[in-house]
Amino acid sequence: MANNTCLFCRIVAGDLPAHVVYESPDVLAFLDIRPIRTGHVQIIPREHFEYYDTIPLEILTEIVSVGQQLAPILRNLFEVKRVAFLFTGGDIPHAHAHVVPMVEATDITSKQYIVEQDITFQNRPRVPDSELSVTASSLRLMLQE
């Protein structure tokens, strides 16, 4: 069931724009507009689930499959050795997976691994739509190969 206040539900409904790289009846993948790294993709179920463990297995399997397909594409496209795949939900309460080309080992680290206790975080800058369009187009084409 869609949630009118949920950012991701609004993207699924077409009320907010997204730079889509993959879509099916159950899953939508699009570029993060405030990426950890260029090429950072969000993969979401179209239906609103607050927690990843409540997503039906067949949809969860598709999300993981899309992440697996994207990983070698992102490694090659952005010339990185690793691509992270993780489920989160702390920022937006709509279960979602992140697929992130990892430039540095700390790109997706937990605060528990950081020595400095008074670390602060900044908002990532908004990437221009023109840049997101080019990246999304490239990823869509590579996923179809």
Side-chain angles (χ1 to χ4, degrees):
M1 172 167 37
N3 177 335
N4 292 337
T5 62
C6 172
L7 177 68
F8 288 165
C9 286
R10 293 177 64 207
I11 289 171
V12 168
D15 296 338
L16 294 174
H19 295 274
V20 175
V21 301
Y22 173 87
E23 59 185 316
S24 75
D26 294 320
V27 171
L28 186 65
F30 51 89
L31 292 175
D32 192 307
I33 63 171
R34 297 185 191 279
I36 294 170
R37 295 291 179 187
T38 301
H40 177 172
V41 176
Q42 300 275 356
I43 308 173
I44 67 170
R46 286 183 180 271
E47 187 176 341
H48 185 87
F49 296 98
E50 267 194 60
Y51 306 102
Y52 81 92
D53 58 333
T54 61
I55 301 171
L57 184 58
E58 61 276 4
I59 297 173
L60 200 57
T61 300
E62 184 178 357
I63 290 170
V64 172
S65 175
V66 172
Q68 281 189 310
Q69 292 172 64
L70 280 167
I73 293 169
L74 294 171
R75 267 197 310 275
N76 292 329
L77 188 61
F78 298 107
E79 300 176 346
V80 296
K81 290 186 178 187
R82 292 199 174 279
V83 173
F85 179 91
L86 60 149
F87 280 94
T88 63
D91 51 345
I92 297 173
H94 182 126
H96 55 286
H98 296 261
V99 186
V100 182
M102 292 183 63
V103 175
E104 297 177 17
T106 56
D107 283 345
I108 59 160
T109 196
S110 168
K111 188 175 179 182
Q112 293 179 13
Y113 296 105
I114 299 170
V115 176
E116 298 79 14
Q117 293 301 309
D118 295 328
I119 191 165
T120 59
F121 293 90
Q122 64 181 354
N123 282 332
R124 301 291 307 146
R126 169 70 158 91
V127 176
D129 283 324
S130 58
E131 186 179 324
L132 290 168
S133 281
V134 169
T135 303
S137 179
S138 295
L139 293 175
R140 273 195 308 274
L141 289 171
M142 291 177 190
L143 277 170
Q144 294 172 0
E145 291 179 358

